[in-house]
Amino acid sequence: MDLRDFYLLASLVACLLLDPAITQELIYPIREELPENVLIGNIPKDLNISHINAATGTSANLVYRLVSNTPLVRVSGSTGEIFTTSNRIDRERLCAGPSYEENECSFEIEVVILPNDFFRLIKVKIVVKDINDNAPMFLYPVINISIPENTLINSRFPIPSATDPDIGFNSVQHYELVNGQSAFGLDIVETPEGEKWPQLIVQQNLDREQKDTYVMKIKVEDGGTPQKSSTAILQVTVSDVNDNKPVFKASQIEVHIPENAPVGTSVFQLQATDADVGSNAEINYIFSTTVSPATKKLFALNATTGLITVQRPLDREETAVHKLLVLASDGGSSPARATILINVTDVNDNPPNIDLKYIISPINGTVYLSEKGPVNTKIALITVSDKDTDVNGKVICFIEKDVPFHLKAVYDNQYLLETSALLDYEGTKEYIFKIVAADSGKPSLNQTALVRVKLEDENDNPPIFSQPVIELSVLENNVRGLYLTTISATDDDSGKNAEIVYQLGPNASFFDLDRKTGVLTASRVFDREEQERFLFTVTARDNGTPPLQSQAAVIVTVQDENDNSPKFTHNHFQFFVSENLSKYSTVGVITVTDSDAGVNADVTLSILNDNENFILDPFSGVIKSNISFDRELQSSYTFDVKAVDGGRPIRSSAAKVTINIIDVNDNSPVVIYPPSNTSFKLVPLSAIPGSVVAEVFAMDVDTGMNAELKYTIVSGNNKGLFRIDPVTGNITLEEKPITTDVGLHRLVVNISDLGYPKSLHTLVLVFLYVNDTVGNATYIYDQIRRTMETPLDKNIGDSSEPYQSGDYLTIMIAIVAGAMVVIVVIFVTVLVRCRHASRFKAAQRNKQGAEWMSPNQENKQNKKKKRRFDWSTAPTTTFKPNSPDLARHYKSASPQSAFHLKADTPVSVKKHHVIQELPLDNTFVGGCDTLSKRSSTSSDHFSASECSSQGGFKTKGPMHTRQVKEHFYWSISTAYNCPIHQY
């Protein structure tokens, strides 16, 4: 039956099981599928054997469960299918013992069907059918048969039959004699039980003296497919004739006795019989001559009883098996022989043996290794052995404690002792450990071997400083050779490898270092002010080969002593500030230094001889004004300051401070000539161009550029007849006058200084009468008074009429009278100016002693001679009035650059009003744009509005050349917001 038949039969049986009328026992035959002695891993799994199903048609709701505990099959819980498992079904193993064809090999399983509504208990009997998976085998590979030499022909001798675990036709079916040599034949006798017994038939007469042994082969075959067979050697010995000889009950005897059996212990009782009677049946037991004398010493044989006993202590390790050949003789020539094998069983009475063979030759029992040796360096070959056997002789070998060594197995009983990690002499210099060999007996016995390993130092460690950075401090002004510290380094090596010498690195010229002791001393005197910190390296080098070294940084800080006085950056400080600076404004900063440090450098400042004009911050050195400055009153201030440090002893120093007051353009020009706005000059028709017809002269009490004046004609010169020198103020004739030019001309002259940041202005009226003679001066003065009503931007010449000859006398009288008044005014004015000039020169001489240079300020009396400012010859420190920094007009003579400070509060330019007070009857106020008359009971005086750069002349029609020039000068005048000038 193949697998398909088996599967169909099992499925049919499973379907019938749900019917209660059908028996619940199923017999199922199956062949054994796997041959004997095959590994399980090669056996296929999940082979379908049978199928169980329910007849209800609701198999999906049934649960199949195997209740038998068998590893050979499994049942699917959902389908009821039976499968083999990984365990091989072997009939010969399952049904061990004699099996016949009518005896079946089977096993049963029990399966339940759930749930309870469909519950069934099914017993399945699985019959395992035999397959030819075993070959027939003889019991011994060599079969010995002894045949007496007087045996008759056709005599039969039984041959031990072969056995086959298979049954039926797969078992033994045929025997065959191979190489029978014609002396023997083979016959097979079949018993009623079906066994086949081979028998050897003697076919020739035998003669032991000619041939005592015949060697043949006997072959046995089974009937399976494929057929299996085996052979054995058949050895026939022809024996000598002897009627009866002693016969041992057992000729081959094997006994076991422990090696610690005491003396007198019975080993074995031999028994031999003899069919004869009388003396021929008396048996004597003796050892064969082949038994060694040593064995005879260990065992004793009773010649009468055949009892073998122990007569000396046994040692299995010396001899494990003793073979005794005992002869039983009845006095005849052919004694009976019995072989007794005495197996001495082991007792754990021997500790293991350790044989230590060094690969690295030891010195006085100590192995020396370099610490640079690689991992797995071989040290020794260890061989362990135990005279005991089995478990008692199984030896394990290990190192007793944790060391950087291990045992590497190379054979069953041999190990290599190797290093298991890198060695470090500085960590451990010597290792002493035991190698233990222990057997597995009960109790366990062990043996130890002591190993001593010393490491040889290599120069693999550089010297190490305890601190990588060494910081020291020392007071300045020390003595030479002062002890500072001892520099120390350690080296984990030994011997010369640990001998250290010290050496200074670069930048250490101030220090000495002892090469052996590491003592660091000062070789020079330190001055903190020259060098506060020293940074250098120290090298520590060992004497190894090659030498190793390391470095440490040394930082020496020089501590301060109060050996330096405060030092001002200048012995004489000079500061320049503008006049009109508000009170409490900063005027300068005193800079003082102290080369010391800490409290020795804490400097406090104070003023020594000041009369409370200034306030000095004692810490920042800021000087502030305690007054408001007026350069015209005092141009400089000088006082001393003192600096004191906080050291012990206290040190101090002093310096001089000069505060120079810089001029501010706070004074308008003052007109000196013409003396009044009502005077005039005669310009004859015969005057030639370029001749001076009048002059304007003014002064400014400011200095420098603030006192430089510029003269321009801003109105009244529309014909371009006159020209004014911008520096000297001289009015010259530009063209020769003609008849149409005869009459009174009013020139509006603007006098402005070159001050910065704002220029101040003054207007003056210059009347020029063009005619050959004056004629009626009174009339001219009357005309002058009438022109006061004409705006300054109008030309009075446009509305004047030719003078009548009748008025000529009146005009002349007026001129004479006016000239007298002018002379008186000039005399008074000159007297006043001379006194002012004297005071001015005295003030200038006081300023010459200062160590600074102010802008060029000339004597006011010399301005008439030289009032032109030459820009090409100006000093490099003098700038034009539009320079943004007024202080740059001055050059400091102090060692340091002049301080330029901004005032804390804006400078108020209100000290002086720009209006000059003169008698009302000859006072005229000129404006830039319009002139209005103000009524007065005492005299008539006029006022002009301030100049505005937004104004300008508007002319109708084309402008004459003279008009163009006048418009140009007028535009310059109106570019300033000029204040009103009175005189």
Side-chain angles (χ1 to χ4, degrees):
M1 180 181 293
D2 56 12
L3 290 177
R4 184 179 298 174
D5 296 338
F6 163 71
Y7 180 79
L8 294 176
L9 179 61
S11 300
L12 177 62
V13 172
C15 293
L16 296 176
L17 285 178
L18 291 177
D19 188 354
I22 303 301
T23 178
Q24 296 182 356
E25 182 177 356
L26 174 65
I27 299 175
Y28 172 67
I30 180 174
R31 292 181 181 179
E32 57 176 340
E33 292 295 326
L34 300 175
E36 290 182 346
N37 301 324
V38 176
L39 293 175
I40 294 176
N42 295 330
I43 302 172
K45 297 176 66 177
D46 294 335
L47 182 63
N48 192 342
I49 301 176
S50 180
H51 178 269
I52 301 174
N53 198 359
T56 60
T58 59
S59 60
N61 298 325
L62 300 180
V63 177
Y64 303 87
R65 183 172 298 170
L66 179 67
V67 294
S68 300
N69 186 14
T70 175
L72 299 178
V73 296
R74 65 181 178 84
V75 177
S76 173
S78 58
T79 64
E81 293 175 327
I82 301 175
F83 297 94
T84 59
T85 64
S86 59
N87 296 305
R88 184 169 65 95
I89 299 177
D90 186 6
R91 188 196 66 83
E92 287 75 27
R93 180 179 297 176
L94 187 65
C95 301
S99 299
Y100 300 96
E101 187 174 3
E102 63 270 18
N103 295 332
E104 63 181 17
C105 180
S106 64
F107 65 92
E108 292 184 353
I109 61 174
E110 293 178 340
V111 179
V112 296
I113 301 175
L114 300 175
N116 292 332
D117 294 340
F118 304 95
F119 179 80
R120 294 289 186 276
L121 175 62
I122 301 171
K123 294 186 177 181
V124 180
K125 182 178 181 181
I126 298 177
V127 179
V128 181
K129 295 296 183 179
D130 181 48
I131 64 172
N132 191 26
D133 56 347
N134 294 282
M137 300 292 294
F138 287 99
L139 183 61
Y140 301 105
V142 178
I143 301 173
N144 293 308
I145 298 177
S146 178
I147 299 177
E149 60 180 338
N150 59 351
T151 301
L152 297 177
I153 297 176
N154 294 326
S155 296
R156 295 173 177 265
F157 293 90
I159 300 175
S161 60
T163 60
D164 193 330
D166 297 326
I167 61 174
F169 202 68
N170 294 328
S171 64
V172 177
Q173 298 295 326
H174 179 67
Y175 290 93
E176 180 182 353
L177 188 64
V178 180
N179 192 16
Q181 303 178 19
S182 71
F184 298 97
L186 186 66
D187 188 20
I188 299 174
V189 178
E190 187 171 353
T191 66
E193 292 80 11
E195 287 190 70
K196 294 178 174 57
W197 291 355
Q199 291 184 346
L200 184 65
I201 301 174
V202 179
Q203 295 180 349
Q204 291 181 357
N205 291 323
L206 302 178
D207 188 355
R208 189 192 64 79
E209 287 71 24
Q210 293 183 0
K211 188 175 183 179
D212 62 353
T213 303
Y214 295 87
V215 179
M216 300 162 284
K217 285 185 179 181
I218 183 169
K219 180 179 180 182
V220 61
E221 297 176 341
D222 63 17
T225 304
Q227 191 178 49
K228 296 181 181 293
S229 64
S230 66
T231 60
I233 296 175
L234 179 61
Q235 181 173 308
V236 177
T237 301
V238 179
S239 63
D240 194 18
V241 174
N242 189 2
D243 289 338
N244 292 288
K245 61 181 178 180
V247 177
F248 281 102
K249 187 176 181 179
S251 61
Q252 296 288 336
I253 303 165
E254 184 174 359
V255 295
H256 296 81
I257 186 171
E259 61 177 331
N260 61 349
V263 175
T265 301
S266 297
V267 178
F268 191 75
Q269 176 67 57
L270 293 175
Q271 290 184 358
T273 60
D274 194 326
D276 295 330
V277 294
S279 61
N280 293 330
E282 294 179 358
I283 300 174
N284 185 32
Y285 299 96
I286 59 173
F287 286 123
S288 172
T289 57
T290 59
V291 178
S292 65
T295 302
K296 292 179 180 179
K297 291 180 181 180
L298 296 176
F299 300 98
L301 175 61
N302 190 302
T304 303
T305 63
L307 178 63
I308 301 175
T309 58
V310 177
Q311 67 178 359
R312 287 189 180 182
L314 303 178
D315 188 358
R316 191 207 63 82
E317 290 71 32
E318 186 175 339
T319 305
V321 178
H322 298 275
K323 185 177 180 180
L324 302 178
L325 181 59
V326 178
L327 301 179
S329 176
D330 59 356
S333 60
S334 298
R337 297 170 180 266
T339 302
I340 300 95
L341 291 178
I342 302 176
N343 295 300
V344 181
T345 59
D346 185 48
V347 174
N348 193 25
D349 57 346
N350 292 280
N353 180 56
I354 298 178
D355 183 15
L356 189 62
K357 298 178 180 178
Y358 286 101
I359 298 175
I360 299 177
S361 299
I363 300 175
N364 297 326
T366 301
V367 176
Y368 290 87
L369 290 180
S370 171
E371 64 173 331
K372 285 188 177 180
V375 179
N376 299 327
T377 298
K378 277 62 177 179
I379 300 174
L381 177 64
I382 299 171
T383 303
V384 296
S385 60
D386 195 321
K387 294 180 180 180
D388 296 324
T389 186
D390 296 332
V391 175
N392 298 329
K394 186 177 181 180
V395 181
I396 58 174
C397 191
F398 57 91
I399 298 175
E400 190 175 39
K401 63 181 180 178
D402 187 16
V403 290
F405 303 94
H406 69 270
L407 296 175
K408 180 181 178 181
V410 290
Y411 293 104
D412 290 341
N413 62 339
Q414 284 188 321
Y415 301 87
L416 280 175
L417 176 61
E418 300 177 337
T419 59
S420 60
L422 293 176
L423 304 177
D424 186 8
Y425 173 84
E426 291 70 33
T428 304
K429 296 179 176 57
E430 183 179 12
Y431 294 93
I432 300 175
F433 55 93
K434 292 180 179 179
I435 297 176
V436 180
D439 60 26
S440 301
K442 301 294 182 180
S444 176
L445 301 178
N446 62 74
Q447 183 74 12
T448 61
L450 187 65
V451 178
R452 187 186 301 268
V453 177
K454 284 188 178 181
L455 300 186
E456 295 177 339
D457 182 40
E458 300 287 346
N459 193 25
D460 57 346
N461 291 279
I464 300 298
F465 287 94
S466 58
Q467 294 178 332
V469 178
I470 303 170
E471 296 187 7
L472 307 173
S473 61
V474 58
L475 282 173
E476 61 178 335
N477 304 319
N478 59 290
V479 296
R480 295 178 184 269
L482 177 66
Y483 170 80
L484 299 178
T485 187
T486 298
I487 296 175
S488 176
T490 58
D491 195 319
D492 291 334
D493 295 323
S494 62
K496 294 185 63 177
N497 297 332
E499 295 176 1
I500 300 174
V501 293
Y502 301 93
Q503 183 178 357
L504 286 174
N507 303 323
S509 58
F510 278 71
F511 304 92
D512 288 329
L513 180 65
D514 189 287
R515 291 175 56 86
K516 293 184 177 181
T517 63
V519 173
L520 182 68
T521 57
S523 62
R524 301 188 189 179
V525 177
F526 299 116
D527 185 356
R528 191 202 63 81
E529 289 70 36
E530 290 184 2
Q531 187 170 352
E532 182 178 3
R533 190 181 186 192
F534 294 88
L535 175 61
F536 56 92
T537 59
V538 174
T539 302
R541 180 183 295 107
D542 59 27
N543 288 327
T545 303
L548 300 178
Q549 66 181 28
S550 62
Q551 289 185 336
V554 180
I555 301 174
V556 179
T557 302
V558 181
Q559 295 180 343
D560 185 53
E561 287 187 344
N562 194 24
D563 55 349
N564 292 279
S565 299
K567 183 177 182 181
F568 289 95
T569 55
H570 298 88
N571 295 327
H572 186 187
F573 290 90
Q574 296 202 45
F575 303 104
F576 299 85
V577 297
S578 300
E579 62 177 333
N580 301 329
L581 191 66
S582 63
K583 192 176 181 180
Y584 303 122
S585 298
T586 300
V587 297
V589 178
I590 298 297
T591 307
V592 62
T593 60
D594 194 319
S595 300
D596 295 322
V599 295
N600 298 330
D602 293 340
V603 179
T604 305
L605 297 171
S606 61
I607 298 176
L608 293 178
N609 54 357
D610 181 54
N611 52 359
E612 298 184 353
N613 290 334
F614 299 95
I615 301 172
L616 174 61
D617 188 298
F619 304 108
S620 65
V622 174
I623 302 175
K624 292 188 178 182
S625 62
N626 201 25
I627 58 173
S628 181
F629 303 114
D630 185 352
R631 188 198 63 80
E632 286 72 26
L633 295 179
Q634 186 173 347
S635 61
S636 65
Y637 299 85
T638 301
F639 54 90
D640 294 327
V641 293
K642 182 180 181 181
V644 179
D645 63 20
R648 291 292 182 272
I650 296 176
R651 294 179 178 269
S652 63
S653 60
K656 181 179 289 187
V657 178
T658 298
I659 310 296
N660 299 293
I661 311 303
I662 299 175
D663 183 46
V664 174
N665 192 23
D666 56 351
N667 293 281
S668 299
V670 177
V671 178
I672 303 300
Y673 189 85
S676 70
N677 285 325
T678 59
S679 62
F680 70 94
K681 280 279 189 177
L682 175 64
V683 180
L685 293 174
S686 60
I688 63 175
S691 60
V692 178
V693 297
E695 64 176 8
V696 178
F697 174 67
M699 293 183 63
D700 195 320
V701 296
D702 293 323
T703 61
M705 299 300 296
N706 296 332
E708 295 288 336
L709 302 180
K710 181 181 180 181
Y711 302 88
T712 57
I713 299 174
V714 298
S715 180
N717 193 27
N718 58 330
K719 293 182 180 182
L721 185 60
F722 306 100
R723 179 182 178 274
I724 188 169
D725 189 296
V727 178
T728 64
N730 293 333
I731 300 175
T732 59
L733 194 61
E734 186 75 10
E735 297 179 1
K736 185 175 179 60
I738 58 177
T739 306
T740 58
D741 296 327
V742 174
L744 185 64
H745 294 265
R746 184 186 69 180
L747 300 181
V748 180
V749 178
N750 178 57
I751 307 170
S752 60
D753 59 27
L754 300 182
Y756 177 84
K758 183 178 180 181
S759 177
L760 301 180
H761 314 268
T762 299
L763 294 178
V764 64
L765 298 181
V766 178
F767 290 93
L768 298 176
Y769 183 65
V770 180
N771 202 1
D772 288 332
T773 60
V774 173
N776 189 354
T778 303
Y779 174 75
I780 295 174
Y781 285 119
D782 183 59
Q783 288 287 9
I784 290 175
R785 281 191 295 270
R786 286 199 299 268
T787 60
M788 295 302 179
E789 297 178 357
T790 303
L792 294 180
D793 57 349
K794 298 294 185 180
N795 193 348
I796 63 172
D798 296 339
S799 59
S800 64
E801 297 177 355
Y803 299 109
Q804 301 295 331
S805 60
D807 298 328
Y808 184 76
L809 181 59
T810 305
I811 292 173
M812 292 301 294
I813 295 172
I815 291 174
V816 174
M820 294 299 291
V821 174
V822 169
I823 292 172
V824 174
V825 172
I826 290 175
F827 178 79
V828 174
T829 302
V830 170
L831 182 60
V832 173
R833 293 302 179 188
C834 288
R835 292 181 179 178
H836 178 73
S838 299
R839 292 195 300 268
F840 183 78
K841 290 180 179 179
Q844 290 294 99
R845 285 195 298 270
N846 292 334
K847 293 182 179 180
Q848 291 176 0
E851 294 182 8
W852 60 283
M853 185 180 71
S854 64
N856 183 27
Q857 49 178 348
E858 300 178 353
N859 192 291
K860 299 297 183 179
Q861 294 179 352
N862 295 331
K863 285 190 176 180
K864 292 183 180 180
K865 297 179 182 179
K866 186 178 179 181
R867 291 195 295 268
R868 183 182 301 274
F869 185 82
D870 190 356
W871 291 104
S872 62
T873 61
T876 57
T877 56
T878 305
F879 290 80
K880 292 183 179 182
N882 59 357
S883 173
D885 189 357
L886 184 58
R888 298 175 69 179
H889 292 297
Y890 304 91
K891 183 176 182 181
S892 173
S894 65
Q896 71 170 24
S897 59
F899 291 87
H900 304 291
L901 302 173
K902 294 183 180 181
D904 292 345
T905 58
V907 178
S908 175
V909 192
K910 293 183 180 180
K911 182 169 66 71
H912 297 289
H913 199 271
V914 296
I915 299 176
Q916 180 180 358
E917 298 293 340
L918 292 176
L920 295 176
D921 56 351
N922 63 352
T923 300
F924 179 82
V925 179
C928 295
D929 297 332
T930 60
L931 190 63
S932 61
K933 182 178 181 182
R934 296 189 298 176
S935 61
S936 176
T937 58
S938 60
S939 63
D940 295 333
H941 67 276
F942 300 87
S943 64
S945 62
E946 293 184 353
C947 298
S948 173
S949 62
Q950 305 296 329
F953 291 109
K954 295 182 180 180
T955 60
K956 296 181 180 181
M959 297 181 66
H960 191 267
T961 303
R962 293 178 179 176
Q963 292 176 336
V964 173
K965 291 181 178 179
E966 286 184 7
H967 188 271
F968 174 75
Y969 290 127
W970 180 258
S971 299
I972 294 176
S973 174
T974 58
Y976 302 93
N977 293 326
C978 60
I980 298 174
H981 173 67
Q982 295 180 359
Y983 63 97

